[in-house]
Amino acid sequence: MSQSNSNIPVISVQDLAVSYTVRGGQVDAIHHVSFDIRRGESLGLVGESGCGKSTVAWSIVNFLGVNGHIRQGSIRFLGQDLVGRTDDELRTLRGNQIAMVYQDPMQALNPSMRIGDQLEEALTFHQAMSVQEARAVCSKMLDRVHMPDPGRILRCYPHQISGGQQQRVVIAMALLNNPSLLILDEPTTALDVTVEAAVLDLLAELRESLDTAILFISHNLGVIARVCDRVGVMYVGEMVEQATTQDIFAKPMHPYTKGLMNCIPRLEDRKSSHSIQPIPGQVPPPNARPSGCRFTPRCKYAQDVCSQESPATIAFGDHTVRCHLADQIAMPDEQAPINHARVDRKGESSIQIEVSGLKTFYTHQTGSLGDLLGFGEKRHIRALNGVSFGLVKGKTLGVVGESGCGKSTLVKTLIGLESSSGGRAKFLGFDLTQDLSKRSMELMRGLQMVFQNPDATLNPAYTVGHQIARVMRRFNLNPGNGIHTEVLRLLGAVRLDESYYHRYPRQLSGGERQRVGIARAFATHPDLVLCDEPVSALDVSVQAAILNLLLDIQKEYGTTMIFIAHDLSVVRYFSDYVAVMYLGEIVEFGPAEAIYAPPYHPYTEALLSAAPIPDPTVERKQIRLEGTVPSALDPPDGCPFHTRCPRKALLPDDGWICKTEKPPWRTIDADHSIYCHLPEQALAQLDPVIHHSSSSLSNE
């Protein structure tokens, strides 16, 4: 295909409609979708699950399955229509001029082939290149995506490298043939913020150097704000708004876009002064879409015309919106009243859980003869290596850090899923480090957990009502209104009506299953709830509803919470205190407000620099950590962070003391402490990572 005309869009999608043939006939997945992407330009597609974002991407590469087909419209790649092309013709484009990166890298990697063989195949299939030449090109590309030791990686199988490294391999594979169009479908969802930042830096660098057009699909509006020039907002298969990234965030015109913006806490937001507002209702399934404007049942602005007529796309310059009332609702919404303020309760100033020097070690099994016969030196993985903190009743502690830093091990040790190797953990007078069999029913009633994946904790063979009621019967709870009535009350508290009592987990959406998990955790009226990434995999609207739900329950019952999340904006909004963990240790602890401004630990500084912020006007320092988290089997001597610390050069002898001695705890104020060799004065002089532009607008 000719690439001579630079004015021709790399990809031009016009009035696209895709349908699937099902048992009852045909179901429309997407329609009225139009957009252009030119060389060096990046378009982000956002919207809730089920809105058709991935279907648009699959249409371009013709991965619609045997029952899917393009019903109308055109897809023009470099001026030539792809609709109606044969499989052989499309195969020469896929992986060559058009490349795609999936959310799960293992969808693209063959677990039975070495990484080098898979990368070489992408070159030898599309280009007249020998295996030796291909191997050299692959090594250079791995180096370009900042992969440590490319030669070793080429010899590895996919399971022998981390998830972040797998994703970089897939990106390298997609870029080997210098594609004109790169499609990325949620490529950073499962990555730590530091790895995600490195991947996004890489994409920006490659877009500039290779002049590649990018279609970036994500539900993370912070990522979209950072990497995209333009944004398309999709709802129920339609493109409802499209504009520059600046305009979408500063002045959204469609009620759905405004709703998405109101769902996300900004880094400066606090629960005491700002209320996030979930979009009511949920995305309708393809076979039950409303007539007229499809957003009408969830829209607070809706009028009679909205349910009677499908709106046309209106252009305001280069800002297009599909809404009957676009010119009437362009002004920001009024701030909703705050209702999450914690009710003062007697005794809430007392420490409810106190952890001191808590350790959790795992014996490292090498499979050697010595291991099998029970002799030889035993080595241990130090998942938790002396964690200490106290938490007042009714407060929330947020725990942040990269994967492998011990966050989940901490809550699993407290709940009893992992055995402690040392230290103390006192809760309501009980010692949580004792054997699980010694825990009383009262202790188990007062300590509950909400897991990241509700599917792993809900029994598919029993109804929702049965599973919540079973918890109450297990702890001999006899509410005055009866167990059945109390289960219905709990379902109502998590915004599920009584019809859910008789439903099975498979009949619920991911967000609904998470709500059931929360209802079950709070069925015993616990004193302490441990939340392990409860909102990380959810759409922003469902995430907002879950956060509001947890805050409302905390307000009503005065429940203490430990909350793990990788989204630093969510952690700051939700938490009263924050603990920053690195390699099994807490390196900074303090009030949420203090953690997000200098002085902070160099690791905290790097996490803040890497965090995606849903505001394209925000300016920040770029601090990128080299390498990965060291192995907990052989942690570094001295400061655990010294192998990656960008600030150790501020100390004499290039931070020699960091390599040889454990750092002291520096008390910044009564509640704020930092574990670092740098003196408080040096930490305080560090510039803030984030600078908010005076022109930054809040869409509240």
Side-chain angles (χ1 to χ4, degrees), residues 7-27:
N7 293 322
I8 296 177
V10 173
I11 191 75
S12 179
V13 175
Q14 298 299 320
D15 200 29
L16 182 66
V18 173
S19 298
Y20 285 89
T21 303
V22 296
R23 183 176 299 175
Q26 285 199 358
V27 173

Side-chain angles (χ1 to χ4, degrees), residues 273 318 340 357 368 377 433 441 484 487 584 621:
S273 60
D318 62 352
H340 298 313
S368 65
E377 181 182 0
T433 62
M441 292 292 289
H484 182 271
V487 171
K621 289 191 298 184

